[in-house]
Amino acid sequence: MNLTGVELRRIAMPLVSPFRTSFGTQTSRDALLLRVVTDKAEGWGECVAMADPLYSSEYVDAAADVLTRFLVPALAASDALDAHAVAGLLAPFKGHRMAKAALEMGVLDAELRAEGRSFARELGAVHDRVPCGVSVGIMDSIPELLDAVGGYLDEGYARIKLKIEPGWDVEPVRAVRERYGDVLLQVDANTAYTLADARHLARLDPFDLLLIEQPLEEEDVLGHADLARHLRTPVCLDESIVSAQSAAAAIRLGACAIVNIKPGRVGGYLEARRIHDLCVANGVPVWCGGMLETGLGRAANVALAALPGFTLPGDTSASGRYYRTDVTVPFVLDHGHLAVPTGPGLGVVPLEDELAAVTTATTWLAV
Ligand SMILES: CC(=O)N[C@@H](Cc1ccc2ccccc2c1)C(=O)O
Ligand SMILES: [Mg+2]
C-alpha cells in the first residue's frame, strides 16, 4: 500500500450539555480527523487531543503541526506502507502519542478496508456487543447530579462514573448510593488530589466503588502505589498509562489494580492491544476509556472493548451522550450495550453532509 496523501480535517462539535471535570468545563469538542489516502483504499483516523493541554500535554494545534511537519512526511519516505510498521517509523519523534495514534489508526483503517477485515477481527474481539458505562460531570448541585444519573440509568447504562474533585466527592457518591442503591459506580479525579488527601479519599471506601481513577498527578506512579495501601477502593490509572512499558511498571510497583485503556493516549490501537495482553497476563482488569470521540473513534473503541480482558464496562457511551448529531451513523445504546461494527476497517464512514457541517478547516498534505 502506498501513501498518496493525508487530509487534516478540523471539526468543531457542540456538546449536548457542558461537561465539567477537575480540569475545566467543555461545551464543545474541537477535534482533528485524518483522511489517509492510499493507492488501495482510504482510511480515517481521529486524534483525541483536546483544544487545550489540560488532560495531557497534547493539544489539537500541536497535533496538527507535528503531523504536518514530522509524522506524515516520515511515512511518505517509506515505500510499502504497513500499519504495523507505522509506530516504528514514527518512533524517532518523541511523544505526541495522540497525533501518532490518529495517523496509525488511519493507515490501519485503509489497510483493513483494502483487505476486507474489521478492526474487531484485527484486534481479536471475542464479543459482538459490549456493555457501556457513562461518565457524569461535576454538577452545580446534588439534585442536578441525581437527575442526570437517573436519566442515564433510564437509558440503560451499565455503570456510572462520577467526576470528582476536592469539595465534590464524598457527598455526591453518598447521594448516588442512597438514591440508586448498588448500581455499578466508580469515580474519576483526573489527577485532582495529592497523597495528603489519602485519609479523605478513604472516606469513599464504605461506598463499594468499583475503582477510583487517577487520583494523583500523571507522573506520580509511586504516590499511587502508596495511596493504594491506604484505600480499600481499587486504584485505576488513566493519564499515567501512556504505553505498555509504563503499564508494566505501574503494575509491578502496585500503583494500579485496574487500567483504563485509551488508544489515543497510548499511541494507537496496536499498543492498546499490547497493554490489554500485558494486563490480562498480570490478572489486571481493563476497560476502554473515552475522549469524547466522534463515531469514527467510537467505532474503533467499541471493537477494542470486545477483547476478552475488557471485563469492566467502559466509557464507550452512545453518540447521544455528547452530540446531538454525530459525523457517522450514531451509536445507540441497546439494553445497555453497543454493537461491535462488523464491516471492513472501522465499519463506519463519515456522513458527508454531517461532516461538512462541523468542518472548520481542511488541509491536504501531499506526499
Ligand atoms: C469520558 C471521560 O471522562 N474522559 C476523560 C476526561 C475527558 C473529559 C473531557 C474531555 C473533553 C474533550 C476531550 C477529551 C476529554 C476527556 C477521562 O476519562 O478522564
Ligand atoms: Mg479518566
Side-chain angles (χ1 to χ4, degrees):
M1 196 167 75
N2 291 310
L3 188 63
T4 307
V6 176
E7 177 186 279
L8 300 187
R9 214 170 241 274
R10 201 67 178 266
I11 62 172
M13 294 172 69
L15 299 186
V16 292
S17 59
F19 186 37
R20 185 177 154 196
T21 69
S22 63
F23 57 72
T25 300
Q26 313 289 325
T27 56
S28 76
R29 186 73 168 92
D30 169 3
L32 175 65
L33 302 179
L34 275 59
R35 183 168 64 88
V36 173
V37 181
T38 76
D39 57 348
K40 293 279 190 318
E42 288 189 7
W44 286 88
E46 178 165 353
C47 180
V48 300
M50 297 178 58
D52 309 310
L54 295 171
Y55 166 83
S56 76
S57 60
E58 295 193 70
Y59 59 101
V60 192
D61 286 343
D65 184 70
V66 75
L67 281 157
T68 302
R69 294 171 55 198
F70 304 102
L71 304 185
V72 171
L75 293 197
S78 80
D79 45 13
L81 193 56
D82 162 6
H84 290 260
V86 165
L89 290 171
L90 303 182
F93 306 107
K94 305 301 183 211
H96 297 283
R97 291 180 173 87
M98 295 177 178
K100 292 175 175 178
L103 188 50
E104 181 190 84
M105 176 181 167
V107 174
L108 184 57
D109 185 32
E111 193 172 294
L112 293 174
R113 285 179 197 273
E115 294 171 359
R117 276 165 65 85
S118 68
F119 259 67
R121 293 273 324 120
E122 177 72 7
L123 295 175
V126 294
H127 305 296
D128 57 13
R129 58 204 287 268
V130 297
C132 299
V134 63
S135 181
V136 184
I138 294 165
M139 304 256 171
D140 292 334
S141 73
I142 296 282
E144 193 184 337
L145 175 74
L146 292 175
D147 283 352
V149 171
Y152 291 130
L153 292 173
D154 290 346
E155 287 185 53
Y157 281 103
R159 178 270 283 147
I160 297 291
K161 162 168 138 177
L162 302 179
K163 291 294 183 179
I164 61 171
E165 65 181 14
W168 180 268
D169 45 33
V170 175
E171 288 321 308
V173 167
R174 183 198 313 279
V176 169
R177 268 283 174 256
E178 282 173 0
R179 168 74 70 84
Y180 298 113
D182 57 3
V183 62
L184 291 183
L185 184 61
Q186 64 193 55
V187 295
D188 185 358
N190 286 110
T191 75
Y193 295 87
T194 70
L195 202 49
D197 297 311
R199 193 181 311 280
H200 174 74
L201 291 172
R203 291 180 55 207
L204 292 170
D205 281 344
F207 299 108
D208 286 331
L209 298 176
L210 287 170
L211 55 94
I212 176 170
E213 185 180 345
Q214 198 71 44
L216 310 180
E217 64 180 314
E218 175 182 337
E219 298 183 7
D220 195 3
V221 177
L222 292 177
H224 281 102
D226 290 343
L227 178 65
R229 285 190 281 275
H230 290 85
L231 303 181
R232 197 158 54 79
T233 306
V235 172
C236 171
L237 291 178
D238 173 349
E239 288 88 335
S240 297
I241 308 298
V242 294
S243 63
Q245 189 180 43
S246 63
I251 292 168
R252 171 88 75 82
L253 290 167
C256 62
I258 300 170
V259 172
N260 164 344
I261 296 181
K262 291 179 179 174
R265 183 191 73 220
V266 302
Y269 286 86
L270 301 179
E271 186 71 2
R273 181 178 54 182
R274 284 189 277 272
I275 294 172
H276 161 272
D277 296 348
L278 169 87
C279 289
V280 168
N282 284 276
V284 170
V286 301
W287 54 281
C288 187
M291 293 293 280
L292 282 67
E293 290 91 344
T294 72
L296 295 167
R298 200 159 297 277
N301 286 353
V302 171
L304 179 72
L307 268 63
F310 286 81
T311 52
L312 292 166
D315 283 342
T316 48
S317 305
S319 297
R321 159 66 185 88
Y322 298 109
Y323 307 115
R324 195 171 48 75
T325 309
D326 203 337
V327 296
T328 64
V329 171
F331 281 82
V332 177
L333 217 55
D334 169 31
H335 294 88
H337 290 67
L338 287 182
V340 176
T342 55
L346 293 169
V348 297
V349 283
L351 302 169
E352 224 165 290
D353 294 348
E354 281 70 5
L355 180 56
V358 298
T359 296
T360 54
T362 301
T363 311
W364 172 249
L365 305 177
V367 295

